[in-house]
Amino acid sequence: MALRNSADEWGSLAKALHWLVAIGIFVLIWLGWSQSDLPSGDERTRIRLIHGSIALVVLVLMTVRIIWRWMNTTPAHPEGLPAWQNLAATLVHWGLYIAIFVQLVSGAMVVATYGKGIPFFGLFNIPVPVAENHDAHEFWEEVHEPFWWVIAVLVVIHILGALYNHFVAKNDVLRRMTHGVKKADG
């Protein structure tokens, strides 16, 4: 499998980044839910530390993913699909990219507006040029806490679209992001 994308299929790096980010997003949602009802204390602090650290990893992966996408061919939409479906697919993909960045940056700003660095798995703190600011902290919490719903809705649409293309339209959209496209006979 080629590292770079082709007109027909995503390359191995794009696939790896897609699935690593997807796993990261699901883990972040699960961790966010896990700590949301916990009382303040060591367990909640530990889960938040892991949540924030994984979010930093996902932020790096998403940044690499976007740069890699801009540096490569993007596989074409399948032939024969209506223009509205192609537009919907494009809007959902870019909506996901934007929503994920908004969620990751708002989460980092929630931590940064405490006036301290952003901890990374308890190993070190990443310094941030942001002063402690209670009002800014509250603002970023108001963005971060409900915004995961936007991501969840877009992820569901994305998955349903992939399944529709695979089982109903019977094209290679899902295969080109998993194990590869069908090769033409002959």
Side-chain angles (χ1 to χ4, degrees):
M1 175 184 335
L3 181 69
R4 297 183 68 84
N5 303 341
S6 70
D8 300 319
E9 184 173 5
W10 297 99
S12 58
L13 183 57
K15 289 178 185 181
L17 291 168
H18 172 273
W19 290 108
L20 288 170
V21 167
I23 291 166
I25 294 297
F26 284 116
V27 168
L28 288 171
I29 289 172
W30 177 72
L31 288 170
W33 265 350
S34 297
Q35 61 83 35
S36 65
D37 291 332
L38 290 176
S40 294
D42 290 343
E43 185 177 4
R44 184 173 185 172
T45 300
R46 183 181 59 79
I47 291 173
R48 283 187 169 191
L49 172 74
I50 294 167
H51 177 89
S53 299
I54 292 172
L56 288 172
V57 171
V58 172
L59 179 60
V60 169
L61 291 171
M62 274 300 294
T63 302
V64 171
R65 184 169 182 205
I66 294 297
I67 292 168
W68 186 251
R69 182 168 177 155
W70 285 333
M71 293 172 48
N72 276 273
T73 300
T74 300
H77 291 289
E79 291 182 25
L81 287 183
W84 73 267
Q85 286 182 4
N86 293 334
L87 177 62
T90 299
L91 291 175
V92 168
H93 279 112
W94 285 103
L96 272 168
Y97 296 153
I98 291 166
I100 290 168
F101 274 114
V102 167
Q103 187 69 348
L104 294 169
V105 169
S106 66
M109 291 303 294
V110 166
V111 176
T113 53
Y114 277 135
K116 300 175 182 168
I118 300 173
F120 187 72
F121 291 110
L123 301 173
F124 55 87
N125 283 355
I126 298 170
V128 292
V130 177
E132 183 175 356
N133 183 323
H134 179 74
D135 291 338
H137 176 80
E138 293 297 318
F139 169 79
W140 288 112
E141 272 190 345
E142 291 298 318
V143 172
H144 187 72
E145 288 178 3
F147 209 78
W148 73 269
W149 279 104
V150 174
I151 295 170
V153 167
L154 289 170
V155 165
V156 168
I157 293 168
H158 179 66
I159 291 169
L160 290 174
L163 294 173
Y164 168 84
N165 276 285
H166 188 74
F167 292 109
V168 177
K170 298 195 184 301
N171 59 41
D172 285 329
V173 165
L174 183 60
R175 277 188 289 277
R176 66 186 182 181
M177 187 48 88
T178 56
H179 60 78
V181 299
K182 291 181 189 174
K183 300 301 178 197
D185 293 334

